[in-house]
Amino acid sequence: MSASQDQPLLYEKPAEGIARLTLNRPDVLNAMNMAVRDELWSALLAVRDDPEVRVVLFRGAGERAFSAGADISEFGTAPSYAEARRARQDRDVWGLMLSVMKPMVAAIHGYAYGAGCELSLLCDIRIASEDAMFALPEVTLGYIPSAGGTQTLPRSIAPGIAREMVLSGEPIDARRALAIGLVSRVVPLERLEGEAMDIAAKLASLPADAVRAAKEAIVRGAGLPLDQALRWEAMIAARLRAGETAL
Ligand code: COA
């Protein structure tokens, strides 16, 4: 990719209805620093509020990574623990991402480690190229995944396999990611871009309110007992029939 590295996150609209967000720090494998998180915050507000945007597509710039996770060089640099906590609460990027009821697609190549993997877990559809590698290595550094990974991974794949990944920090390759359902497709690297755009375009062509309502039903029902989840489904279906817009 030839885009300027001055912008840590690129926001483009490559086709009708699609917002494409590119993590753009290829020299450090698209590690997510404060600047990336700030930009993500603004971009997510923009996609949430822009009626032109029907689908969000995430990818990483450069040859080697979707993202190698949180920027390790910033660890321990917050002025105080309280300040770090306040910053996280003021700008809960991952919570915001989860609240956007528009479909999100992650096109993953190379490393998807730590928050890179977790960001993809907050997307609805993950596709990967054959070179992709996934890991939540936080415990090996003395932390735990805290962009949702301890919760989203066990909700996305078999809980026992999720536990192994979270507790060991061991990476898995694309073939294994496909086998355990962490990604829904693996394609050759040269086809990743096109395939992801095709999926995004397909979703963007469908009735937007129905797609958003379907996502909302999935998100609201996740983790609830079936009877409560079904009540959400019925409520959201009724609201859609009544022509009321989803959140
Ligand atoms: N934060 C900041 N910088 C990072 C980074 C991260 N999470 N991951 C990689 N980088 C930087 C490296 O410091 C290196 O910078 P340099 O060229 O200035 O030295 C550059 O990206 C390339 O990484 P490098 O480690 O040389 O590549 P590699 O092929 O040997 O290894 C990884 C790739 C992903 C295995 C390795 O970079 C890694 O383990 N990164 C950290 C992953 C991680 O723990 N993420 C979760 C954080 S909680």
Side-chain angles (χ1 to χ4, degrees):
M1 253 187 72
S2 59
S4 158
Q5 284 199 36
D6 298 342
Q7 296 167 266
L9 182 78
L10 306 178
Y11 183 160
E12 301 158 290
K13 289 181 174 174
E16 198 180 333
I18 302 174
R20 184 168 63 197
L21 303 184
T22 307
L23 300 162
N24 188 38
R25 302 182 72 214
D27 291 349
V28 288
L29 307 185
N30 300 319
M32 288 184 247
N33 60 3
M34 281 298 280
V36 172
R37 285 199 294 278
D38 285 348
E39 297 278 321
L40 260 179
W41 176 262
S42 306
L44 288 168
L45 290 176
V47 300
R48 185 191 66 186
D49 297 338
D50 183 346
E52 279 183 5
V53 174
R54 289 165 163 242
V55 182
V56 186
L57 175 56
F58 284 91
R59 65 176 183 170
E63 312 272 293
R64 300 196 53 216
F66 178 72
S67 169
D71 190 322
I72 290 170
S73 69
E74 281 188 348
F75 283 14
T77 58
S80 71
Y81 178 72
E83 203 128 328
R85 215 169 89 172
R86 194 162 41 246
R88 275 202 305 275
Q89 278 168 356
D90 285 353
R91 291 191 164 199
D92 176 9
V93 174
W94 315 121
L96 174 60
M97 191 164 165
L98 204 58
S99 75
V100 176
M101 294 301 161
K102 296 184 179 180
M104 299 189 184
V105 180
I108 302 153
H109 74 290
Y111 296 106
Y113 277 17
C117 183
E118 293 170 282
L119 187 154
S120 79
L121 283 163
L122 292 168
C123 291
D124 303 292
I125 297 175
R126 287 170 289 286
I127 69 166
S129 54
E130 289 161 341
D131 66 328
M133 295 287 293
F134 299 82
L136 293 176
E138 283 85 347
V139 288
T140 66
L141 302 168
Y143 299 92
I144 67 167
S146 50
T150 62
Q151 305 307 309
T152 52
L153 190 63
R155 283 166 165 79
S156 304
I157 63 171
I161 302 177
R163 286 184 191 212
E164 186 176 341
M165 283 185 70
V166 171
L167 298 180
S168 73
E170 280 297 310
I172 61 167
D173 63 15
R175 188 204 291 238
R176 172 100 174 120
L178 183 63
I180 64 173
L182 179 55
V183 299
S184 52
R185 293 184 205 183
V186 173
V187 298
L189 180 58
E190 62 276 13
R191 282 194 17 227
L192 182 66
E193 196 79 39
E195 197 96 8
M197 279 297 286
D198 286 350
I199 294 172
K202 169 73 187 166
L203 296 179
S205 74
L206 298 172
D209 282 348
V211 173
R212 292 174 63 170
K215 172 163 178 173
E216 191 187 346
I218 294 170
V219 169
R220 290 203 184 276
L224 290 181
L226 185 59
D227 57 339
Q228 289 173 32
L230 289 175
R231 275 202 289 279
W232 269 111
E233 187 189 67
M235 219 151 41
I236 293 166
R239 200 178 61 196
L240 182 67
R241 279 196 301 274
E244 291 167 27
T245 319
L247 288 177

